[in-house]
Amino acid sequence: MSIDRCEIIDLPKISDPRGNLTFIEGCHQIPFAIQRVYYLYDVPGGAERGGHAHKELHQLIIAMSGSFDVILDDGNNKKRVHLNRSYNGLYICPMIWRELDNFSSGSVCMVLASNYYDEVDYYRDYAEFMRARGQG
Ligand code: TYD
């Protein structure tokens, strides 16, 4: 699983003078069925989130409001993705280390996930993640 598989998905946007509308259906606009939704909000300036990888979880990250950066790392390559549009989602495949920073004031980060919360699915130690990738 390389960071090349992690890409911005342009979600449908129904533009309307009354306000725009975007929708996401599991397995249609995104490559997994949605089992869980969670969101980060009231993030203080300078805070960092993430700092882990998932063994099997697929996720889509959306800046519902404001902006932030996601740093993706597959052990070989890293890339920083700036999210600031509520009609763009960043797809993250399993086995990618991610960090989130540069949160703007009042930003909301929504995450769609392919499974329920399970701590067993996490790598929280970077060295362990690298060993699991055969790169440690
Ligand atoms: P964590 O995944 O480390 O947050 P982030 O990656 O956004 O920095 O989770 C932080 C805490 O919240 C941790 O104690 C686990 C708990 N948690 C749940 O109980 N359910 C969830 O769906 C998520 C994502 C986290």
Side-chain angles (χ1 to χ4, degrees), residues 36 38 40 48-52 117 119 122 124:
R36 175 167 53 114
Y38 65 92
L40 301 171
E48 295 176 5
R49 300 290 316 215
H52 55 73
Y117 170 73
E119 190 59 37
Y122 280 74
R124 292 196 183 271

Side-chain angles (χ1 to χ4, degrees), residues 74-88:
D74 62 14
N76 283 318
N77 294 297
K78 279 189 187 190
K79 70 177 171 187
R80 178 179 283 268
V81 181
H82 184 63
L83 292 178
N84 63 350
R85 300 275 182 246
S86 37
Y87 55 85
N88 279 168

Side-chain angles (χ1 to χ4, degrees), residues 2 5 9 20 26 34 44 50 53 61 63 65 69 83 93 98 107 110-111 113 117 120 124:
S2 119
R5 284 195 55 197
I9 296 178
N20 301 328
I34 301 160
I61 300 187
S65 184
D69 291 355
L83 292 178
C93 63
R98 90 290 309 278
S107 58
M110 184 175 76
V111 184
Y117 170 73
V120 171
R124 292 196 183 271

